Amino acid sequence: MSDPSLIARNLETIRTRIATAARNVGRDPEAITLIAVSKTHPKEAVLAAMAAGASVFGENRVQEAASKFPIAGAKLHIIGGLQTNKAEQAVRLADSIDSLDRPRLADAIARAAEAAGRLPELLVQVNIGDEPQKSGIPTAEADAFIRLMRARFGTALQGLMCIPPAEGDPTPFFHKLAAMADTHGLPVRSMGMSGDYESAIAAGATHIRIGTAIFGHRDLPA
Ligand SMILES: *Cc1c(COP(=O)(O)O)cnc(C)c1O
């Protein structure tokens, strides 16, 4: 699905809903960054979203991202689990890597950043529901890991990212991530997707990651 007028309408609807959700809790809608998740969708869909005002995009896979980006005027977040052998390409391509979740990946990113002479912004992904199948640092290890990453990467470490359990109310998990970010004085909380972004905004999300509600359903598993 990359019908430009449908993408534009979807974005308009989402912007309205972001504004309402923010105002309902006394927050400034401008303080919320919409990451348009374009994984599995073609570059034409990205360009259509840009024409409708989107400027920040999220991709799960580095190789797929490299087939569409860089695009002048677009920012790219890598939001999917990152293999260490993809760190070099991710560091060259991304404005932000949002899935930093283990020491070996930190090593690979640090090495790649030195070689490339650039360090993207970084988010630590927390496995906020401690689900065995999910990536992210387990909650019990998160504080120590975040401190280490802060010491290593300084202000490039911007914040935290999570994907709450698919079943049940995500709000307690959103609050938990926001509290963790507060504890560490980190400005960014990336949480909330197509189905739950209004709850995430109410709980303090600064970045929401929306795919399906902008681009439609994905044919391929991602
Ligand atoms: C795919 C994906 C999203 C977007 O999900 P939708 O439900 O399509 O909005 C957000 N975050 C991550 C990490 C994803 O992999």
Side-chain angles (χ1 to χ4, degrees), residues 37 39 60 79-80 161 163 193-195 209-213 218 222:
V37 179
K39 65 185 181 199
N60 269 34
I79 61 172
M161 188 267 255
I163 308 171
M193 320 201 310
S194 290
R209 309 177 307 268
I210 301 189
T212 311
R218 294 178 284 271

Side-chain angles (χ1 to χ4, degrees), residues 11 14 19 29 37 42 51 71 76 100 104 144 151 153 161 165 181 192:
L11 277 167
I14 291 163
V37 179
I71 298 174
L76 173 66
L100 172 56
R104 285 197 48 214
F153 295 111
M161 188 267 255

Side-chain angles (χ1 to χ4, degrees), residues 128 164 168-179 199 203:
I128 202 73
D169 181 4
T171 291
F173 297 101
F174 292 150
H175 282 299
K176 198 165 167 179
L177 192 83
S199 314

Side-chain angles (χ1 to χ4, degrees), residues 15 17 67-68 71 81 107 113 120 127 145 152 154 175 208:
R15 285 195 195 100
R17 288 175 59 172
S67 74
K68 304 173 211 173
I71 298 174
D107 292 344
N127 186 352
F145 184 66
R152 182 163 202 176
H175 282 299
I208 56 176

